[in-house]
Amino acid sequence: MKHKRSLIFAILLFLISQYAFSQGLEITGTVTNSEDDTSLPGVSVYVEGMNIIGTATDLDGKYALIVPSSASNLVFQSVGFQTQVVPINSRIVIDVILEPEALGLDEVIVTGYAIQRKEALTSSVSSVESKNIEAVSASNIEKRLQGNVAGVMTTSLRGIPGSAPDIQIRGATSINAGNQPLFVIDGVPAVSGETGASQSFSILSSLNPNDIKSMTILKDAGAAAIYGSRAANGVVLIETKTGAKGKTRFSFSADYGVSKVINTGFDMLSSAELLELQREAVENSAEYYNNPTKYDWTDPNGEYYLPDELANTDTDWWDEVTRTGKLENYNLSASGGNENTTFYLSGSYNKNEGAIMNYDFERYTGNVRLDHLSPNEKFKVGTKVMGSFSKQNYVYDASGGVLPWENPIFAAMAIPSYYAPFNEDGSVNFDLGGAHGNYNPHGVDKFQDQGQEYTKLLNSTYLEFKPWNFLSIKSTFGLDYGYTKSHDFEDPRAPIYAGREGYYWEGHENNIQMSISNTITFNKIIAEIHSVTAILGQEGMQEDYEYISGSGKGANHEMPYLSTTVAEGQEIEGNPSKLTSNSYFGYFSYNYDSRYYLQGSLRRDGSSVFGDDYKYGTFGSISGSWRISEESFFNSNFISKLKLRGSYGTTGNSDIAWYASKGYYSVITYNGESSLLPDKIENPDLKWEKTATTGIALDFGLLKDRISGTFEYFWSKTTDNLLYQELSYTSGFSSVLKNIGSLRNEGLEITLQTKNLQGELSWNTSFNISFPKSEILDLAGEDYVGTTYRHRVGGAYMEYWMYKYAGVNPANGMPMWYDENGNLTFTYSEASRANVGSPEPDFYGGLTNTLSYKGISLDFMFYFVYGNEIIFGDRHYSEHDGASWGENANTNQLDRWQRPGDITDTPKPLVNNPTGANDWDNSRWLDNGSYLRLKFVTLSYALPKSWLDRIKLSNLTLFAKGTNLLTFSNVNGLDPERGSTGSGSYKYPNTQSISFGTQIEF
Amino acid sequence: MKRNITYILILSVLIFYSCSEDFLNTEPTDAISNSIALNNYTNLSKATNGLYAPLRSSDYYGAYMQIAPEVMADNVKRSTVKNSSRYVQEFDLSIAPSVGYWSGLWELPYYIISASNNVINKIISGEFDQEKASDEEINQLLSEALFIRALCHFDLCRLFAHHYTIQDQSLAPGADGNGGHWGVPVITITDVTIFPARNSVNEVYKQVISDLRKAEKMVIFDKGKNFANQNSIRALLARVYHYRENADSALYYSELVINSGEYPLAEGEDVVNYWVQEEGDETIFQVYSNSNENYFPGNESLNSLFNIGTEYPYSDLVITEELLGLFDSSDERLNLYERDENNEIRTKKFLPKESYVSVYENNIKILRVAEMYLISAEANLGLGNNDDGLDRLNELLNARGLPDASNLTKSLILAERRKELACEGHRLFDLAIANEDNVRPENNATPLVNYPGHRYILPIPVREIERNENITDQQNPGY
């Protein structure tokens, strides 16, 4: 009975609809993708001006629509494609080919818990094109951000394969807590940062960059406040690829390349040059120390005998440690699905043989993504499992502030060219006259094994329930598991390791993060012009970290592992710890007639790291925009788009030690008994560091968006800065972490995109530039003076605080400094420190060009930084003026003072130079850190469709890509890219590479 | 519709699942939160045990506390061959308040005092679970903690404040010949908001003596020489009274220790062997040394600085010719010294102990019975009991292979103290107590310091001066 009634009702409806449009015209057609001629399902087709009359294409890209006779144009719209407006002209069959959107992800953008159309944005959100992500050869995705987005400074101190850059979004907001952004992968906050003993392995380098669909950066609090306590440094949202309904598509790509370290003008002395320098130093010393008998290089029995024979051997140790690196990438993916279920599968292998000996990186990944929509379209479930295994070989470049002799870059700069790397019988030469502890880098390469392995499992599963179109309820469960095993073995057969008696060390780290988030989303357009979205949600997270390491003596090359042979001097350490958080949040957005937009968010966040009464903090934002160009009064042919937006919000920083607020006793040993001693004093009042950000921006498009761009300015102020307040030692403690101090960041960011040529030959340019400025406002009376850096009120976030070097006295070749009163002095201890510069640039940015003609396309990006100061700490050693007697020096020492009247900054050399000329904290080491770099060039050629059809392929592209091919800079070192602190010693420089590959799809 | 509502209900449960309050309360697993750390006898006992470990740090008895008073005086000098730049300022007496190793000698004792205060105040409050422990066992912990608090206060006072009897107010503001001058802050509770001014020396001694006398009455058990027992408390009392120039009490406590009969003087070869024994007879209190335990001084240890050989990286410290010249040829203690390949004099007081794993291991002797004989002799002399005093001195001399002395004088005792206690961190204090000049013929930079003088004590580290507004104007004059 019931069924019958429904049937009648349906028939009635059918009749009515037939009647309503009986005066219309039925138009049919097929919509296809211009890229590969495949049909496009899900394209909305509607009558222009009457968007209630519309339909969508079916699985085969076909549509049928009855349109009123008054209709003149049809609109074809689909995410990721350029919208087309097609005149009907009385046709009844209209086939349309849609062009993919030039800027890929332009239509919609994921902004945290919500998905927005780009024109609806009210805050500062930028996305990076996947094309630009893929253009850079780096094993890790973070490095690929550089130069793409205004306001995002990405800079790497190390070029070690697998290492991470420093990423600062709109400056550093914190002095003591972390300054790295929060990474969110498919809606789940991800564990990031470094893991293992190498100090150069980024957790995110375990991801396959080819699995990434988009990276979106939430730069201001307006967008990021929804992530509350972890968002003060911005948020990077990573979306991974999903399947699409349609026929199964396979894609395979492979590339192979070579790399070498960037060297903008650094070289060590040859034997002849070193000999000349050393002899000069001995001669100078005879006079300086007034001891011609002792300082006589011609005396065969003397301490400083320097015969000609020394120069018979001339080894270029830099050549010995560097090599041609090799890059290999293979990636296979398949995706597809039907109306209800889609899938994406991929597997990849990446190998990166370092350009310096001892450094390698290898990665295997696998990824499965499944999404299912129930036939009644009310339930959607999906799951993703990404697994990977990575291996890194490395050498410590520094451990705990100490420079280890094992570091090959250190060795290359220290060992005199007098010594041969190998003995005549081919064995490693361990007799380097005691120089550099006889640590021949070939010996380290052969007899020391340092490495780590990282196993990653990333899972997220969601269930979404849509009882009505306007309401959806979603639960997402996330699991982020990482296991790191690091090891170090020193083969006792090598004389340099004999004293270590077969030392073997192994460390195991286990990190499990589990999270659950639940949201209710309400979405409705009321009376056609009021569009409302509201989200309520909750999120809980728990992270468990466990660490255990063991070491001992007695291992040998046959048993290089932790076994019973490693019986002597055993040490074992371990430490599990836990972090939890719980949050509630709400989000609201409203727009009126797509002209006025208003958004707000509120989040209440609780975290275990803070004091008992301050576990929860509240963060929020409000933002709005006005699309002036949509107003009826606005009528300009020149200005095609104009939008004004502004935002204000607060975010927090909780990136401090997990038990920072706690005071506790540690377990120690006395007389073989387990004992307790106070470890840390508690601060039960410890709370969030808070950053409030205000931003205004103008988005514009000119000449039908041929030129478009954004001008933005932001001010952010961080308060309750987590700083250590020093105490009276009589309390038993030196300092306590407190919420004191404040700092400000502000900056101008400009982004421009131009379509220079359109048509068969197309040329697009995009440009971004940022002018950052930071200032410390308050340190609560604490002046943070480090050895090289200083944080001071009124100063930039970080400043160099060094002895002011005044060059060399032309009369006697002695180094000079400025003293307290600004007078010249020869005495280093009288030199006075001054703020001599900052690692913060005046501006930085990127310029990208994309040219394409038929199947050929050329993309290249220049990255630039200007106005920062950097330090190559290794100059302290390799421009030692004789202080590190017996070690090699770099070619800057050729400019040394030699005779009265010489004008130079390099003093005369002296044996064991006591003048302090090469001391660490000399402003002599400051370099202008400005540089311009050709970040990437990609040239690709897609074979014509007609050829491919014959071999049943949908795409075959050949490509060549170069990374960091050119660097223009004047620095006295290898690579001007020096990380956010601007300095470091003997770091593996960034590399340049060139690779060739192919991508095949069918 | 109905089904929709059911689903919504189920999902609502998921969404509004609320984390319990405990979810955000995480505790470290390799450590115990302060609030609960000392809540029961087991933990109080462990926290008392822990107080001993930092005593062996190189900042304290593990090196600096024993080296500084020697290298700043006339027993120990820097090698002219082995030079790792350690103790240069101390040897040259050019210590500047802004730099130097000695700042640890201010920081670490106060840290130990703070840790002791936690134990003491917890026990006094009674707010803990006594478990199955007897009152005696609780008192034992209290007395050990009091002993260590007293030791630290006393050491700070003798390092950073002038001798008790000083009268020169320009050197020691407030000096009245009776400890009225600047001492060091007396700390009896842990409170980071306190920035204390200096107490007078007299006040420090009062606190030290009160702590020790309380401890002396409550201590019951003898846990071996690596822990405080009644005799160590009494020996420290003897030393404190000796410094306070209270001969009556110094005599009383030193005699109690000697008469306990538990610490026979070493004789013959044992005078040398004693120094590497795990628990030598002469030792009243020592700190256990083991390279696997916390605060092990490693290559900053006494062993590392005094010995020479490929296993020792530093070897900066040698013995003055003057000291060696003082020993009679029949003196067994002469065997504690020998010349190295560079003809410099090395001592055998800091060799690796018999059971060593690391060459830096040797139990650190803090109180030795020989000192009790010397204190007794001097106290007797002060009280006019010359014969009793001479007996005590002669017992010591005989044990060292020397004949009886016939006449007891202050200078004889001072010379004997110098020979007996050389390199153990006494010399500079002994000179100050005796009001003797510091004559250093083997140092070119500062060959003579007249008593009194600011170079008999250390400057308060600049960081404390800058950070603690109540001490800002209380730097030791001269620095």
Side-chain angles (χ1 to χ4, degrees):
Chain A
M1 186 65 191
K2 203 175 175 185
H3 282 281
K4 222 177 231 168
R5 201 188 287 164
S6 308
L7 190 66
I8 294 166
F9 186 66
I11 291 167
L12 262 170
L13 258 177
F14 179 76
L15 289 173
I16 291 165
S17 66
Q18 286 299 308
Y19 172 76
F21 299 113
S22 59
Q23 294 180 330
L25 166 77
E26 191 188 44
I27 299 177
T28 59
T30 311
V31 181
T32 50
N33 181 346
S34 74
E35 263 195 334
D36 52 10
D37 286 343
T38 54
S39 53
L40 277 176
V43 177
S44 359
V45 184
Y46 59 85
V47 177
E48 193 181 35
M50 290 182 260
N51 52 10
I52 47 162
I53 305 172
T55 182
T57 55
D58 66 10
L59 212 54
D60 301 317
K62 294 195 188 314
Y63 71 95
L65 183 65
I66 296 168
V67 302
S69 47
S70 61
S72 55
N73 292 325
L74 275 188
V75 179
F76 295 82
Q77 204 169 36
S78 181
V79 171
F81 292 87
Q82 290 175 20
T83 301
Q84 277 196 30
V85 181
V86 182
I88 298 170
N89 291 345
S90 314
R91 288 179 293 172
I92 54 161
V93 176
I94 300 179
D95 291 338
V96 168
I97 300 170
L98 286 188
E99 298 279 341
E101 189 73 66
L103 296 171
L105 315 151
D106 237 22
E107 265 319 90
V108 296
I109 196 156
V110 179
T111 58
Y113 298 91
I115 295 175
Q116 289 187 326
R117 298 180 70 82
K118 251 195 170 173
E119 70 267 10
L121 287 176
T122 53
S123 50
S124 191
V125 176
S126 303
S127 44
V128 181
E129 297 176 49
S130 62
K131 191 176 66 175
N132 285 10
I133 298 173
E134 279 162 25
V136 175
S137 290
S139 294
N140 115 3
I141 51 167
E142 297 133 286
K143 288 200 174 176
R144 302 171 181 226
L145 284 173
Q146 193 179 58
N148 280 296
V149 179
V152 179
M153 192 166 90
T154 309
T155 167
S156 308
L157 177 58
R158 294 178 174 95
I160 297 172
S163 65
D166 295 334
I167 299 172
Q168 285 183 358
I169 297 176
R170 292 190 160 175
T173 61
S174 186
I175 289 171
N176 260 322
N179 274 315
Q180 296 287 303
L182 171 69
F183 286 86
V184 176
I185 301 175
D186 294 328
V188 178
V191 177
S192 62
E194 278 168 349
T195 184
S198 80
Q199 304 166 327
S200 56
F201 184 95
S202 161
I203 288 172
L204 295 180
S205 69
S206 63
L207 300 182
N208 174 9
N210 284 298
D211 285 341
I212 289 166
K213 184 170 73 183
S214 72
M215 283 167 97
T216 303
I217 296 158
L218 312 183
K219 293 192 285 187
D220 69 359
I226 193 77
Y227 285 102
S229 64
R230 301 207 273 170
N233 298 311
V235 181
V236 178
L237 302 173
I238 296 173
E239 292 290 302
T240 63
K241 289 179 182 163
T242 55
K245 56 193 163 186
K247 78 181 182 80
T248 303
R249 296 177 65 176
F250 294 91
S251 169
F252 173 74
S253 69
D255 65 75
Y256 180 84
V258 290
S259 71
K260 63 174 192 168
V261 295
I262 291 168
N263 185 346
T264 56
F266 157 87
D267 202 4
M268 297 301 292
L269 296 182
S270 70
S271 284
E273 289 164 336
L274 180 63
L275 186 62
E276 192 192 329
L277 179 127
Q278 288 188 334
R279 284 175 174 175
E280 219 174 283
V282 174
E283 285 162 14
N284 293 338
S285 299
E287 188 194 344
Y288 182 82
Y289 297 111
N290 196 18
N291 192 346
T293 342
K294 185 177 178 187
Y295 297 99
D296 179 2
W297 62 262
T298 61
D299 175 8
N301 300 315
E303 209 180 322
Y304 298 107
Y305 179 49
L306 295 166
D308 290 344
E309 292 83 76
L310 282 174
N312 288 353
T313 307
D314 187 8
T315 304
D316 185 337
W317 285 98
W318 185 246
D319 269 3
E320 295 298 318
V321 304
T322 53
R323 62 187 182 191
T324 300
K326 293 190 188 77
L327 311 167
E328 276 175 68
N329 270 305
Y330 305 94
N331 193 65
L332 176 68
S333 69
S335 66
N338 60 27
E339 202 67 45
N340 294 111
T341 307
T342 60
F343 71 94
Y344 174 84
L345 300 171
S346 82
S348 77
Y349 172 70
N350 170 272
K351 188 176 179 186
N352 191 336
E353 231 177 87
I356 289 183
M357 60 159 57
N358 282 317
Y359 291 94
D360 292 305
F361 179 85
E362 225 178 331
R363 176 184 60 214
Y364 306 81
T365 71
N367 178 11
V368 181
R369 165 86 184 232
L370 274 177
D371 294 280
H372 175 78
L373 180 67
S374 66
N376 65 5
E377 300 195 351
K378 282 193 171 159
F379 288 94
K380 203 173 169 192
V381 288
T383 190
K384 170 196 72 180
V385 182
M386 292 177 122
S388 79
F389 176 73
S390 318
K391 274 167 88 166
Q392 186 187 42
N393 286 321
Y394 67 96
V395 188
Y396 288 121
D397 57 6
S399 57
V402 177
L403 291 162
W405 279 334
E406 287 91 341
N407 179 343
I409 301 154
F410 188 8
M413 296 190 189
I415 303 172
S417 25
Y418 302 152
Y419 301 102
F422 296 101
N423 297 315
E424 275 170 18
D425 62 2
S427 61
V428 176
N429 180 10
F430 283 110
D431 182 8
L432 309 176
H436 199 65
N438 293 324
Y439 272 68
N440 185 329
H442 290 290
V444 175
D445 186 28
K446 204 166 161 190
F447 295 107
Q448 180 167 14
D449 179 21
Q450 287 183 332
Q452 65 183 46
E453 294 163 6
Y454 184 64
T455 308
K456 178 88 170 173
L457 185 70
L458 206 58
N459 168 235
S460 65
T461 303
Y462 69 88
L463 168 65
E464 194 178 349
F465 172 47
K466 252 187 146 159
W468 304 284
N469 261 334
F470 61 85
L471 190 74
S472 102
I473 302 170
K474 187 176 180 183
S475 285
T476 307
F477 173 78
L479 173 71
D480 187 328
Y481 170 77
Y483 164 63
T484 320
K485 178 187 165 198
S486 321
H487 68 272
D488 178 16
F489 167 59
E490 294 162 18
D491 191 333
R493 290 176 300 167
I496 48 173
Y497 298 127
R500 303 274 282 166
E501 298 168 51
Y503 178 79
Y504 186 89
W505 174 90
E506 200 167 276
H508 298 259
E509 291 169 63
N510 241 322
N511 196 77
I512 303 171
Q513 181 195 272
M514 284 182 293
S515 63
I516 183 156
S517 89
N518 301 295
T519 53
I520 304 177
T521 306
F522 173 87
N523 212 330
K524 201 162 174 70
I525 297 172
I526 302 158
E528 291 186 28
I529 48 174
H530 303 279
S531 167
V532 179
T533 303
I535 300 174
L536 270 180
Q538 174 274 340
E539 192 167 73
M541 197 241 9
Q542 171 173 336
E543 187 172 350
D544 287 279
Y545 172 82
E546 246 181 315
Y547 170 71
I548 187 160
S549 77
S551 65
K553 295 168 178 177
N556 57 54
H557 65 282
E558 281 164 345
M559 300 185 87
Y561 31 76
L562 208 56
S563 67
T564 48
T565 57
V566 184
E568 218 190 298
Q570 281 186 352
E571 277 180 40
I572 187 154
E573 275 181 62
N575 166 26
S577 45
K578 184 193 281 245
L579 175 72
T580 57
S581 72
N582 185 33
S583 321
Y584 303 92
F585 53 87
Y587 165 88
F588 172 81
S589 97
Y590 168 77
N591 86 61
Y592 176 78
D593 196 23
S594 297
R595 282 184 287 157
Y596 309 102
Y597 293 79
L598 186 70
Q599 269 184 35
S601 68
L602 198 67
R603 180 166 176 128
R604 186 144 176 84
D605 245 358
S607 164
S608 59
V609 305
F610 295 102
D612 284 349
D613 297 338
Y614 297 92
K615 289 204 183 298
Y616 278 92
T618 305
F619 306 91
S621 72
I622 184 136
S623 56
S625 68
W626 177 27
R627 292 175 74 199
I628 305 167
S629 49
E630 299 302 302
E631 293 288 355
S632 51
F633 63 76
F634 189 90
N635 200 350
S636 164
N637 285 333
F638 178 66
I639 301 173
S640 44
K641 184 172 84 186
L642 194 65
K643 176 170 148 189
L644 187 66
R645 55 188 163 86
S647 76
Y648 171 81
T650 57
T651 48
N653 191 336
S654 58
D655 189 6
I656 49 173
W658 288 4
Y659 301 112
S661 70
K662 296 267 191 305
Y664 45 81
Y665 268 71
S666 284
V667 179
I668 62 147
T669 320
Y670 178 71
N671 200 38
E673 294 165 36
S674 164
S675 313
L676 291 169
L677 262 185
D679 187 311
K680 223 177 112 285
I681 192 77
E682 69 269 19
N683 177 5
D685 298 332
L686 201 69
K687 58 186 180 201
W688 317 101
E689 210 171 76
K690 259 193 175 172
T691 300
T693 312
T694 310
I696 52 163
L698 186 72
D699 297 320
F700 64 91
L702 307 175
L703 302 169
K704 291 186 177 165
D705 288 357
R706 283 287 286 266
I707 299 170
S708 62
T710 301
F711 288 96
E712 263 185 295
Y713 202 89
F714 77 93
W715 300 261
S716 83
K717 186 175 170 186
T718 306
T719 51
D720 289 339
N721 254 15
L722 292 158
L723 296 178
Y724 286 95
Q725 186 168 55
E726 294 191 49
L727 302 170
S728 164
Y729 266 117
T730 60
S731 67
F733 298 91
S734 61
S735 61
V736 63
L737 191 61
K738 284 190 148 182
N739 294 94
I740 47 179
S742 115
L743 67 89
R744 179 168 62 209
N745 279 284
E746 56 181 278
L748 171 67
E749 293 159 7
I750 300 171
T751 306
L752 288 172
Q753 275 118 14
T754 57
K755 295 169 184 165
N756 308 325
L757 289 173
Q758 288 177 307
E760 205 162 42
L761 172 63
S762 83
W763 175 26
N764 295 333
T765 301
S766 80
F767 172 75
N768 70 78
I769 187 166
S770 312
F771 301 86
K773 185 172 160 15
S774 64
E775 184 185 343
I776 294 177
L777 301 176
D778 183 17
L779 291 171
E782 309 281 330
D783 193 15
Y784 284 82
V785 181
T787 45
T788 313
Y789 295 105
R790 182 184 185 191
H791 298 292
R792 66 173 175 106
V793 172
Y797 164 69
M798 196 181 247
E799 289 176 333
Y800 298 112
W801 176 241
M802 306 178 93
Y803 294 110
K804 243 185 141 178
Y805 187 63
V808 168
N809 185 313
N812 62 8
M814 297 296 284
M816 300 184 294
W817 292 270
Y818 292 106
D819 70 8
E820 262 179 24
N821 307 315
N823 299 322
L824 290 174
T825 174
F826 287 117
T827 314
Y828 183 57
S829 58
E830 285 171 9
S832 107
R833 284 186 190 260
N835 295 308
V836 291
S838 166
E840 181 178 276
D842 295 343
F843 62 80
Y844 62 90
L847 174 71
T848 310
N849 277 289
T850 304
L851 289 128
S852 63
Y853 177 73
K854 294 192 171 164
I856 302 171
S857 78
L858 174 70
D859 287 74
F860 57 95
M861 178 201 272
F862 281 98
Y863 176 70
F864 54 87
V865 182
Y866 182 85
N868 56 325
E869 275 82 32
I870 57 168
I871 296 174
F872 290 93
D874 27 69
R875 292 179 64 197
H876 153 76
Y877 296 92
S878 53
E879 294 176 36
H880 55 74
D881 313 318
S884 307
W885 187 249
E887 292 189 358
N888 205 356
N890 75 27
T891 49
N892 281 350
Q893 296 263 291
L894 294 174
D895 302 329
R896 65 188 177 273
W897 185 94
Q898 287 177 301
R899 57 196 65 79
D902 284 357
I903 305 288
T904 171
D905 269 351
T906 309
K908 68 180 175 194
L910 292 169
V911 175
N912 297 322
N913 195 325
T915 61
N918 79 316
D919 191 88
W920 270 113
D921 290 342
N922 267 307
S923 63
R924 179 183 173 189
W925 311 131
L926 276 188
D927 264 312
N928 176 350
S930 309
Y931 69 96
L932 172 68
R933 173 169 285 171
L934 180 57
K935 182 71 200 165
F936 67 76
V937 193
T938 308
L939 179 66
S940 66
Y941 175 59
L943 266 62
K945 286 251 137 56
S946 51
W947 300 8
L948 295 176
D949 285 347
R950 269 178 253 159
I951 44 175
K952 299 224 156 65
L953 291 179
S954 58
N955 173 26
L956 178 76
T957 303
L958 303 171
F959 60 86
K961 59 183 182 182
T963 302
N964 298 337
L965 287 185
L966 297 169
T967 301
F968 304 93
S969 137
N970 284 321
V971 296
N972 288 290
L974 292 159
D975 175 18
E977 188 174 341
R978 301 296 286 163
S980 58
T981 63
S983 79
S985 296
Y986 304 125
K987 299 300 179 200
Y988 185 127
N990 287 293
T991 50
Q992 47 188 183
S993 65
I994 208 161
S995 50
F996 302 91
T998 178
Q999 180 167 20
I1000 300 165
E1001 285 172 25
F1002 52 90
Chain B
M1 191 66 189
K2 223 181 222 167
R3 197 187 282 172
N4 283 352
I5 286 165
T6 316
Y7 290 136
I8 290 170
L9 281 175
I10 292 169
L11 280 162
S12 303
V13 172
L14 264 178
I15 287 170
F16 295 104
Y17 111 93
S18 175
C19 301
S20 67
E21 271 307 302
D22 280 350
F23 184 66
L24 295 182
N25 293 329
T26 59
E27 294 290 346
T29 45
D30 60 339
I32 305 178
S33 191
N34 282 349
S35 54
I36 54 168
L38 305 181
N39 274 359
N40 58 51
Y41 171 75
T42 309
N43 284 351
L44 273 169
S45 164
K46 286 181 176 182
T48 307
N49 228 23
L51 299 175
Y52 294 92
L55 296 176
R56 69 183 161 216
S57 156
S58 62
D59 283 333
Y60 203 11
Y61 279 99
Y64 205 97
M65 185 70 211
Q66 305 214 46
I67 291 170
E70 300 290 329
V71 81
M72 289 171 74
D74 50 10
N75 285 336
V76 174
K77 62 179 182 179
R78 297 190 70 251
S79 164
T80 54
V81 182
K82 300 291 283 184
N83 176 6
S84 74
S85 306
R86 279 166 174 74
Y87 298 97
V88 175
Q89 296 179 20
E90 289 76 9
F91 182 48
D92 289 345
L93 293 177
S94 62
I95 297 172
S98 58
V99 278
Y101 292 107
W102 87 93
S103 61
L105 210 43
W106 174 268
E107 294 156 20
L108 194 66
Y110 272 117
Y111 168 68
I112 303 169
I113 287 171
S114 154
S116 311
N117 286 336
N118 293 351
V119 173
I120 294 165
N121 297 333
K122 193 69 178 184
I123 292 178
I124 291 173
S125 77
E127 291 164 357
F128 61 96
D129 178 0
Q130 197 164 332
E131 295 171 340
K132 285 175 182 161
S134 64
D135 287 352
E136 286 78 13
E137 283 169 311
I138 302 291
N139 283 339
Q140 172 79 20
L141 302 183
L142 181 56
S143 54
E144 286 181 48
L146 285 167
F147 168 78
I148 287 174
R149 180 164 87 178
L151 178 69
C152 294
H153 272 126
F154 172 66
D155 285 339
L156 285 162
C157 196
R158 57 184 181 146
L159 287 162
F160 294 96
H162 284 285
H163 179 53
Y164 194 80
T165 58
I166 197 168
Q167 295 187 346
D168 186 338
Q169 297 195 350
S170 66
L171 278 172
D176 57 5
N178 203 16
H181 56 284
W182 286 344
V184 293
V186 172
I187 306 292
T188 54
I189 53 163
T190 297
D191 183 347
V192 297
T193 62
I194 294 176
F195 289 83
R198 297 173 73 164
N199 288 87
S200 70
V201 169
N202 198 12
E203 287 166 336
V204 180
Y205 275 81
K206 268 191 187 144
Q207 183 68 46
V208 168
I209 289 166
S210 144
D211 281 353
L212 289 173
R213 293 186 65 159
K214 254 187 239 164
E216 185 212 353
K217 294 197 187 79
M218 291 184 295
V219 67
I220 300 280
F221 304 101
D222 185 354
K223 293 153 74 177
K225 298 190 178 198
N226 298 333
F227 298 90
N229 64 13
Q230 195 172 40
N231 282 318
S232 16
I233 295 165
R234 286 172 172 170
L236 183 57
L237 270 166
R239 184 190 280 179
V240 171
Y241 280 120
H242 170 70
Y243 273 68
R244 201 187 168 288
E245 302 201 15
N246 182 335
D248 267 336
S249 300
L251 179 64
Y252 174 74
Y253 285 107
S254 57
E255 285 295 318
L256 278 181
V257 177
I258 296 168
N259 293 331
S260 73
E262 288 183 36
Y263 312 100
L265 287 164
E267 294 177 20
E269 287 181 354
D270 280 345
V271 171
V272 176
N273 294 341
Y274 160 78
W275 287 95
V276 294
Q277 289 165 0
E278 189 65 41
E279 289 196 2
D281 282 346
E282 285 193 13
T283 304
I284 304 164
F285 173 59
Q286 66 180 11
V287 184
Y288 176 65
S289 171
N290 181 311
S291 56
N292 284 327
E293 297 192 353
N294 308 68
Y295 287 100
F296 182 67
N299 55 13
E300 296 291 344
S301 63
L302 292 160
N303 292 15
S304 168
L305 283 149
F306 276 106
N307 297 320
I308 190 164
T310 48
E311 61 272 51
Y312 301 106
Y314 301 141
S315 318
D316 290 43
L317 302 175
V318 296
I319 308 308
T320 60
E321 299 288 335
E322 187 191 41
L323 174 64
L324 194 69
L326 293 174
F327 291 101
D328 199 274
S329 61
S330 66
D331 197 329
E332 291 290 346
R333 290 173 300 200
L334 194 55
N335 299 323
L336 281 167
Y337 304 92
E338 68 182 11
R339 290 189 184 273
D340 65 16
E341 60 197 28
N342 307 310
N343 203 34
E344 294 184 311
I345 308 160
R346 299 280 170 180
T347 175
K348 293 180 182 170
K349 284 191 173 178
F350 307 111
L351 291 171
K353 64 180 177 182
E354 283 164 345
S355 60
Y356 79 93
V357 175
S358 151
V359 293
Y360 306 130
E361 288 176 2
N362 196 1
N363 297 340
I364 300 156
K365 288 92 185 159
I366 294 183
L367 290 160
R368 229 162 33 91
V369 78
E371 186 193 351
M372 296 300 114
Y373 282 86
L374 290 160
I375 289 172
S376 169
E378 194 165 340
N380 272 309
L381 179 67
L383 294 167
N385 314 325
N386 288 26
D387 290 350
D388 292 348
L390 197 56
D391 286 350
R392 284 301 185 209
L393 183 68
N394 284 337
E395 282 175 66
L396 177 64
L397 294 180
N398 297 161
R400 303 311 187 219
L402 295 168
D404 284 351
S406 52
N407 194 12
L408 189 66
T409 63
K410 276 212 162 190
S411 60
L412 178 66
I413 296 170
L414 181 63
E416 239 3 90
R417 282 188 75 95
R418 182 175 182 189
K419 285 189 277 181
E420 179 59 37
L421 304 173
C423 312
E424 296 174 54
H426 291 273
R427 183 60 179 162
L428 189 69
F429 306 127
D430 285 352
L431 289 170
I433 296 169
N435 296 0
E436 290 281 339
D437 293 342
N438 185 6
V439 187
R440 315 167 74 226
E442 293 170 53
N443 179 280
N444 296 330
T446 312
L448 172 70
V449 181
N450 289 317
Y451 186 84
H454 74 274
R455 285 163 167 168
Y456 278 81
I457 56 172
L458 293 168
I460 291 176
V462 67
R463 190 187 170 285
E464 188 69 36
I465 296 286
E466 285 178 355
R467 288 291 153 202
N468 180 349
E469 56 189 23
N470 294 313
I471 273 189
T472 304
D473 299 324
Q474 296 189 325
Q475 181 58 285
N476 289 320
Y479 286 108

